[in-house]
Amino acid sequence: IPGVKKQFDTVSYLLNREDVDTIYICTDSGREGEYIYRLVDQMAQVSANKKKLRVWIDSQTEEEIIRGIKEAKDLSAYDNLSASAYLRAKEDYLMGINFSRILTLRYGNSVSNYLGNKYQVISVGRVMTCVLGMVVRREREIREFVKTPFYRVLGKFSLEGRTFDGEWRVVEGSRYFQSPDLYKENGFKDRNRAEELKGILERESAVSMTNELSGSNGMAQQTAPAHQAVLEKIEKKKEKKNPPLLYNLAELQNDCSRMFKISPDETLRVVQELYEKKLVTYPRTDARVLSTAVAKEIS
């Protein structure tokens, strides 16, 4: 690639210098970092006789860099990671090139006519196409969703000087148990049915109240059906809730988009600036915990 040829030639020269017998590989500690060095090594045709040690660190502190150099392992210890990186790149290459060409030739004209463009390439990728499929399926579910209103019966209750709201739910033995009128166990499909239940509860409660007043005046009490709320049990328990994990980039971007309407790119730009000013830790990582070395750096 012409734009990076000068830099590549410099690195290639250093890797192949006769007075250099040991190479410390300090690319990013991960699959992509491993893949990048292996490509450079292969392209530069570095001699197999040179000793190649892999430095594996997760921060740029002096202490961590020194530790990584002291504990560097032979590059062969990371061959499996390298193989997985090659496999991923091969899959991206084969799927992207072949399917992008096929779909562009088959549907490119139709899409370009619809969009009013002269040409339209249809890009296919191992990740992007799967994610796009998930988005499309979800969008179809949203568009095809039909709202179903249902009606609940709520009431206010008092106990020992406290008031709280209660919700009617059907239970086994109820006149509405397994009734086709129910939408869920706590609601009716038809408002009239909910009003009917409300009327029944109000009438029976009124009859019960009348009987209680009659008994207090010395009059004979009549037996009448009454619905009385019964508090069956009170549970009190303590729970220990762990603090939330630290942000990784994806979670930070999600929250900034949801709460502040900031785009993921803008979030990354801002947090990168904060990182360069040493106000936050390294943002381009999936880790949501701090290593010992990073913890010491910020403490």
Side-chain angles (χ1 to χ4, degrees), residues 219-255:
M219 299 173 62
Q221 296 189 31
Q222 299 177 2
T223 303
H227 285 266
Q228 183 178 6
V230 177
L231 182 62
E232 293 184 347
K233 61 180 178 180
I234 297 177
E235 291 185 359
K236 292 184 179 180
K237 58 182 179 180
K238 291 183 178 180
E239 292 185 354
K240 289 185 178 180
K241 187 175 181 181
N242 293 326
L245 294 174
L246 301 176
Y247 274 119
N248 59 15
L249 182 58
E251 291 295 327
L252 181 61
Q253 288 172 322
N254 286 339
D255 280 356

Side-chain angles (χ1 to χ4, degrees), residues 148-153 176 180-183 187-197:
T148 304
F150 67 99
Y151 304 89
R152 299 181 299 157
V153 177
Y176 294 102
D181 295 328
L182 293 174
Y183 174 69
F188 293 88
K189 299 175 185 176
D190 183 49
R191 178 168 184 166
N192 292 331
R193 291 298 186 186
E195 294 285 359
E196 176 186 273
L197 174 60

Side-chain angles (χ1 to χ4, degrees), residues 15-247:
L15 291 173
N16 286 292
R17 255 174 46 179
E18 293 184 0
D19 60 331
V20 173
D21 57 8
T22 302
I23 299 170
Y24 286 88
I25 295 106
C26 302
T27 49
D28 285 350
S29 301
R31 182 168 54 186
E32 293 310 307
E34 196 70 23
Y35 183 59
I36 288 171
Y37 174 74
R38 303 286 179 135
L39 288 181
V40 172
D41 187 284
Q42 177 182 332
M43 197 75 179
Q45 299 180 339
V46 181
S47 172
N49 295 326
K50 291 182 182 287
K51 189 175 184 180
K52 300 171 185 177
L53 300 176
R54 183 66 161 99
V55 177
W56 195 273
I57 58 177
D58 57 8
S59 74
Q60 302 295 318
T61 63
E62 181 178 353
E63 179 185 357
E64 183 70 356
I65 292 172
I66 293 173
R67 182 203 62 77
I69 293 173
K70 287 181 178 179
E71 299 177 4
K73 298 179 181 179
D74 191 85
L75 183 63
S76 61
Y78 298 88
D79 283 349
N80 287 341
L81 185 64
S82 171
S84 71
Y86 270 100
L87 179 62
R88 175 182 175 182
K90 192 78 170 178
E91 185 179 2
D92 287 343
Y93 182 85
L94 293 175
M95 174 175 281
I97 286 182
N98 290 311
F99 283 98
S100 293
R101 287 181 174 181
I102 291 171
L103 293 180
T104 298
L105 291 173
R106 179 67 180 85
Y107 299 108
N109 288 337
S110 299
V111 175
S112 63
N113 290 336
Y114 176 79
L115 296 175
N117 299 333
K118 189 174 181 180
Y119 303 107
Q120 182 63 46
V121 174
I122 299 177
S123 299
V124 177
R126 174 181 56 84
V127 175
M128 62 181 289
T129 302
C130 296
V131 173
L132 179 61
M134 295 167 62
V135 172
V136 170
R137 282 196 297 271
R138 181 58 179 158
E139 180 64 23
R140 286 175 176 169
E141 290 176 359
I142 293 172
R143 293 185 181 186
E144 295 170 1
F145 177 74
V146 178
K147 291 183 179 179
T148 304
F150 67 99
Y151 304 89
R152 299 181 299 157
V153 177
L154 306 176
K156 287 190 176 292
F157 299 87
S158 298
L159 180 66
E160 297 180 354
R162 296 184 180 183
T163 59
F164 56 91
D165 294 331
E167 179 183 50
W168 177 86
R169 289 176 179 266
V170 68
V171 295
E172 188 172 355
S174 166
R175 72 182 74 190
Y176 294 102
F177 184 64
Q178 296 183 339
S179 169
D181 295 328
L182 293 174
Y183 174 69
K184 292 182 177 180
E185 75 279 359
N186 63 330
F188 293 88
K189 299 175 185 176
D190 183 49
R191 178 168 184 166
N192 292 331
R193 291 298 186 186
E195 294 285 359
E196 176 186 273
L197 174 60
K198 178 184 174 185
I200 292 172
L201 296 174
E202 287 177 343
R203 286 194 300 273
E204 293 181 352
S205 296
V207 170
S208 176
M209 181 66 70
T210 301
N211 290 336
E212 290 177 3
L213 291 174
S214 298
S216 65
N217 292 329
M219 299 173 62
Q221 296 189 31
Q222 299 177 2
T223 303
H227 285 266
Q228 183 178 6
V230 177
L231 182 62
E232 293 184 347
K233 61 180 178 180
I234 297 177
E235 291 185 359
K236 292 184 179 180
K237 58 182 179 180
K238 291 183 178 180
E239 292 185 354
K240 289 185 178 180
K241 187 175 181 181
N242 293 326
L245 294 174
L246 301 176
Y247 274 119

